[in-house]
Structure formats: structure tokens, C-alpha cells
Amino acid sequence: MSKSKFMTMSRRSLLAAGAVTLAMPMVSRRAWANESLVVADPGGPFTEGYRKAFYEPFEAATGIRINGVARDAEPTAQFKSIVETGSYIWDVCTLTLSARLILEEEDLLEPLNLDPAKVANVMPEAVHPNMLGTDVYSTVLAYNTDTIAQAPTGWDAFWDSDRFPGRRSLRKNPIDTLEIALMADGVAPADLYPLDVDRAFRKLDEIKNRIDVWWTGGAQSTQLLESGEVDLIAGWNARFQAAIDNGAPASIVWSGGLYSIEGWGIPKGNPKADLAREFVAFCAQPEMQAKFTDDLAYGPTNLKAYDHISPERAAILPTAPQNLSMMSLASEPFWKANRSQLTERFNGWLLS
């Protein structure tokens, strides 16, 4: 390890330690010494990233033990069962914005009662009465830098096979894909919703026969880029970053990206709700959020976290100011209302 890297890590460690000390009064650690919380996360690299950023620092600050478990890929059904049966197998769970809407509609979430001062620097889109967003992921364009000589600057390049020849891949799902088509057709991100669905499908008609792979899973999208099987692909930034980290000659285009937010929610009626609220509030701290970016290419929602992230690492994160300014928030309310019918139409279109 280089001396400069050691000094950077040491500075972060000292800052984080100071934040932990200031975040919780000493008396709290004694009062909660025998308590514990079960926290459900997506598993895989998230568990390691969250352990370093949230679980271990919270235990050190409060004495409350955190037991991390992996949740289902889509936890809404499991969440509902936990509340309705009163069997609280976990106390806090990561949720997407769309999952929050579903659970809120059925009154399955505890209020967080967040102190406004503690979330003053958190993106407004990430702060809800019943959910605190802690990380941001985005759908972006990635391209093979060995085969695409001219760097694309937006989604119109995906449709332009004369200037940008090569194999192409899109997600086999209307979500994001319809928005991408509209932006390629000249619709400004601010004017996307409600989606002009007919216009989006007309634009997709233009490129349908030039899509070589319709990917269905994040791991597949990583492999497509890493193996060089495709030259241009739309997908999730962290998946593409994994390919780049593994040596793929590729780059990400942030312009026209669509971002969304994931964070913490508490099951309604949870007997440990007060302790869970302490944990959720703790996760709003910029010093803590900065730590998960060492392992995950997701953006912190507390933008002050960038005071503790190197410029080199910030460059690959969705909420770094230079990247966030080129993207827009995907509309979860629109997709909640239209997901079923547009999925049916999209699948039928693929077969036509």
C-alpha cells in the first residue's frame, strides 16, 4: 500500500471515528448494550459494503448488534407477510422507491420521524416519511472503447449505426427502455413523463432488428460488456463498472442516464421500531455513506459524502455532481400505475 493511500485511508478512518463518537451519546451505548437488530440487504457485495459503512460503525457507537441477512430480490411480498403475521424476522430492510410506494399504499411501513437537521444534506428525493434513501443507482449507456472510436454523447448514438457501428444490447423490459427510446427521439429528460408510449414504440421499431441481445439480468449485462460480445449496451452503472474493474475496455456515458434510489424501511408494528429508527438516522451521515463507495459503485444520497471520497472514485459514482447533473430521476409513480400493461405490450412487440 502506498504512503499516500495509507494517509487517505487513515484520514477517512479518523473522520469516521469522530463522526461515530459525536453521533451517539455515551449513555446510549450502555443503555442498548444487550440489544440487537436484524437488517436485510440485497446480499453479495452490498453486505460487505454496508457492513463497513453502517453495521460495524453503528455497533461501535451504540452497542446494538447488527445481524445482516440477505432479502429476496423483490421483498414486498416478504415484507407484507412479516407485518401481517407479526413474525418480525428482520427489523430494517432495503427498499427501492417502487417497493416503498407499494408498501406505503398498504400501510406496511413505520414512520421514521427523521430529524430534519440530520438529513439536511441528503437529496430531497431520498427523504420520505417512511424511507430513507442511502444509495443511488442508474441506467446508463456503456460502450467498448476498442471498437467505438468516437465517444457517444447520448442515446441518439445508440440508434446511429453509421457513426457508431457494432453489436447492440438493450434490457428486455419496458422500464428505462421506453425512456431511452424517447430521449433518442429528442425528448428532453424533464419532459419524459407521462411517457408518450406510442412514440417510444415507433422509435424502438427503428432499431428492433439491430438489437443483438435483449439481456434479462444484471450479471448477463456485465458479461456482455466484459466479453466484448456487444459494443454498445444500456444497463446499470454498477454492473458496467464491475466489467471495467475486471479489465474490460469500456466506458460509461452519464448523459441521459436515469437514476433511482434504494434505502431503508421499517416494517409496521415492529417492536424494535425505535432502535431501528436510530439505525436508519445513523445511515444518513456523510462519513458513513462515503465508506460503502469503496466496495459499491453506487452514489451516496448525502452529497456531503463527497468531502470524504477521492476525486478518482467520485468520477464513477452516479451522484457525483458532474454525473448527477446529466441524469434525471425515473418516475416510480408512472411505472407503478402502468407497469403491467406496458410489460404486456412490450413482450407482445418483441414477438411481432
Side-chain angles (χ1 to χ4, degrees):
M1 180 181 297
S2 68
K3 182 178 179 181
S4 61
K5 186 173 182 181
F6 175 80
M7 291 176 66
T8 300
M9 291 177 68
S10 298
R11 181 175 180 271
R12 177 178 293 183
S13 298
L14 287 170
L15 287 168
V20 169
T21 302
L22 292 172
M24 298 289 177
M26 293 291 288
V27 68
S28 297
R29 200 182 197 291
R30 186 178 302 112
W32 294 331
N34 296 318
E35 298 287 354
S36 64
L37 289 170
V38 178
V39 176
D41 61 45
F46 278 92
T47 298
E48 176 64 14
Y50 286 179
R51 181 183 62 79
K52 289 168 52 179
F54 303 135
Y55 303 167
E56 290 181 349
F58 185 72
E59 286 183 350
T62 67
I64 300 172
R65 297 186 308 280
I66 298 295
N67 301 310
V69 299
R71 61 157 171 76
D72 290 345
E74 174 50 71
T76 50
Q78 189 179 14
F79 207 104
K80 181 177 182 180
S81 175
I82 285 170
V83 175
E84 291 182 344
T85 63
S87 177
Y88 293 93
I89 59 173
W90 31 253
D91 305 300
V92 188
C93 180
T94 52
L95 303 171
T96 60
L97 290 178
S98 58
R100 184 195 74 84
L101 287 175
I102 293 168
L103 295 172
E104 180 180 69
E105 188 173 64
E106 299 190 43
D107 193 29
L108 298 173
L109 290 166
E110 277 282 335
L112 297 181
N113 303 329
L114 291 165
D115 179 351
K118 292 185 177 181
V119 293
N121 294 307
V122 176
M123 300 165 60
E125 310 97 310
V127 181
H128 302 273
N130 47 26
M131 174 187 164
L132 174 68
T134 53
D135 62 82
V136 172
Y137 56 95
S138 57
T139 296
V140 293
L141 170 65
Y143 66 98
N144 186 317
T145 55
D146 282 349
T147 59
I148 304 295
Q150 179 183 357
T153 58
W155 292 112
D156 59 321
F158 197 90
W159 266 253
D160 191 345
S161 56
D162 292 330
R163 287 196 303 141
F164 302 95
R167 292 171 59 86
R168 286 156 160 75
S169 180
L170 285 172
R171 184 184 178 196
K172 193 177 181 181
N173 196 302
I175 297 174
D176 296 339
T177 304
L178 296 185
E179 287 97 329
I180 287 168
L182 289 171
M183 285 187 282
D185 203 37
V187 177
D191 300 327
L192 280 173
Y193 303 101
L195 298 182
D196 185 336
V197 174
D198 291 338
R199 181 176 175 179
F201 275 103
R202 286 196 299 270
K203 190 64 176 176
L204 286 171
D205 283 338
E206 298 175 11
I207 203 170
K208 180 180 180 181
N209 293 332
R210 284 181 280 147
I211 300 301
D212 298 281
V213 181
W214 292 95
W215 64 265
T216 57
Q220 181 189 10
S221 69
T222 301
Q223 179 62 26
L224 288 168
L225 187 63
E226 192 172 342
S227 66
E229 185 175 342
V230 298
D231 303 289
L232 297 107
I233 182 171
W236 300 315
N237 76 285
R239 290 293 187 174
F240 294 153
Q241 190 60 47
I244 294 169
D245 291 344
N246 286 334
S251 187
I252 288 171
V253 179
W254 297 99
S255 179
L258 294 159
Y259 70 87
S260 194
I261 300 169
E262 187 169 50
W264 301 114
I266 302 171
K268 186 83 170 184
N270 183 358
K272 293 187 177 182
D274 287 340
L275 294 183
R277 290 186 186 97
E278 294 286 349
F279 171 78
V280 172
F282 183 88
C283 295
Q285 295 179 84
E287 298 89 347
M288 301 302 105
Q289 291 192 14
K291 292 170 77 67
F292 73 66
T293 66
D294 289 340
D295 299 281
L296 302 168
Y298 292 92
T301 58
N302 189 323
L303 300 186
K304 293 292 287 183
Y306 285 97
D307 292 346
H308 313 286
I309 300 172
S310 71
E312 294 77 16
R313 189 64 181 173
I316 67 166
L317 302 178
T319 55
Q322 68 271 23
N323 298 332
L324 188 62
S325 65
M326 292 189 282
M327 298 191 294
S328 56
L329 180 67
S331 175
E332 299 296 346
F334 174 85
W335 282 108
K336 181 176 180 294
N338 297 280
R339 181 190 305 252
S340 179
Q341 67 187 66
L342 289 181
T343 298
E344 183 177 355
R345 178 172 174 178
F346 183 80
N347 290 337
W349 172 82
L350 283 173
L351 296 172
S352 64

